[in-house]
Amino acid sequence: MSNKPPPPRPVPRLYLATPVVDDPASLLAELPALLASADVAAVLLRLKETDQRTMISRIKALAPVVQSAGAALLVEGHPELVARGGADGAHLPGIAALKEALPSLKPDRIAGVGGLTTRHHSMDAGEIGADYLLFGEPDANGQRPSSQAIAERLDWWAELFEPPCVGFAMSFEEAHEFAASGADFVLVGDLVWADPRGPKAALNEADAAIKKGYAALAVSQS
């Protein structure tokens, strides 16, 4: 038996959620420079609800821009539109939606899941094939656990389970905290788009906060 310590976890990467997209023109103009400025692993496309044909055309417009930057494009909900729009996967809102979507997404596309309010649901999601688990997003009423509770859930998951975990950060401090808790990815959305300095400056600050959090984790484990 080897007594070598396990290899260090890789540096967590950014997962960027878009604003709710109606007309994608402004986002198409911003995304290339934004994705080139930081290490973004994936983009979560939040579509305004409308007819399927229009939503598919919006996915088709954005997918090549995201994918040419080396990132994956995931659609929030709507797993039935993923293949038709050329996206890389879907993010599902809970264990029931995940179970329903898995046959249409696997094995070629990514199936991520959030809305996991209990450890039991989290373990179920991992066992049935979720490609990642998101912790800390607000519920339908805008409520979410404390950042400490989210960090504890990330730490628990990262310590015991194989599928990647994602922390939903609503501040730069949370991005740092979740990276230091063992998150594989940190999801940022309004934190970036609402920043008065512009999304590029905010995304770079989030990226720096993640790297500092990861460094703090490495020190604590050494």
Side-chain angles (χ1 to χ4, degrees):
M1 280 182 68
S2 171
N3 291 320
K4 287 183 179 179
R9 299 177 72 88
V11 179
R13 302 182 67 194
L14 283 160
Y15 186 4
L16 176 64
T18 71
V20 176
V21 174
D22 186 1
D23 178 358
S26 62
L27 190 60
L28 283 167
E30 280 189 294
L31 269 179
L34 200 55
L35 296 177
S37 73
D39 181 26
V40 178
V43 173
L44 179 61
L45 176 56
R46 302 168 64 219
L47 288 167
K48 183 177 180 181
E49 293 291 332
T50 182
D51 64 278
Q52 285 202 347
R53 180 178 292 183
T54 300
M55 288 193 286
I56 290 168
S57 71
R58 288 169 186 162
I59 298 169
K60 285 182 175 180
L62 287 159
V65 175
V66 173
Q67 293 159 349
S68 66
L73 181 70
L74 282 83
V75 179
E76 185 176 64
H78 302 292
E80 74 282 0
L81 306 183
V82 167
R84 292 159 69 189
D88 297 288
H91 176 78
L92 291 317
I95 192 82
L98 174 68
K99 287 178 179 176
E100 185 178 340
L102 278 172
S104 67
L105 294 171
K106 293 299 189 128
D108 299 322
R109 290 180 167 82
I110 299 165
V113 64
L116 303 167
T117 55
T118 68
R119 292 190 177 198
H120 180 72
H121 279 170
S122 303
M123 290 187 286
D124 279 353
E127 286 172 5
I128 66 174
D131 290 298
Y132 70 79
L133 283 73
L134 174 65
F135 298 121
E137 77 274 31
D139 63 18
N141 298 316
Q143 302 298 309
R144 68 196 288 259
S146 68
S147 63
Q148 181 181 352
I150 297 165
E152 287 173 355
R153 185 63 58 90
L154 289 164
D155 179 65
W156 163 75
W157 185 266
E159 186 74 24
L160 297 175
F161 302 99
E162 190 66 30
C165 57
V166 185
F168 187 109
M170 297 185 72
S171 68
F172 300 116
E173 293 77 16
E174 287 188 354
H176 179 283
E177 183 179 7
F178 297 161
S181 300
D184 298 284
F185 302 91
V186 176
L187 186 133
V188 292
D190 293 343
L191 169 64
V192 168
W193 303 107
D195 194 299
R197 300 169 299 170
K200 187 175 179 181
L203 193 67
N204 287 334
E205 184 169 344
D207 197 29
I210 289 167
K211 289 180 169 65
K212 287 177 183 175
Y214 173 79
L217 175 64
V219 168
S220 72
Q221 292 178 338
S222 62

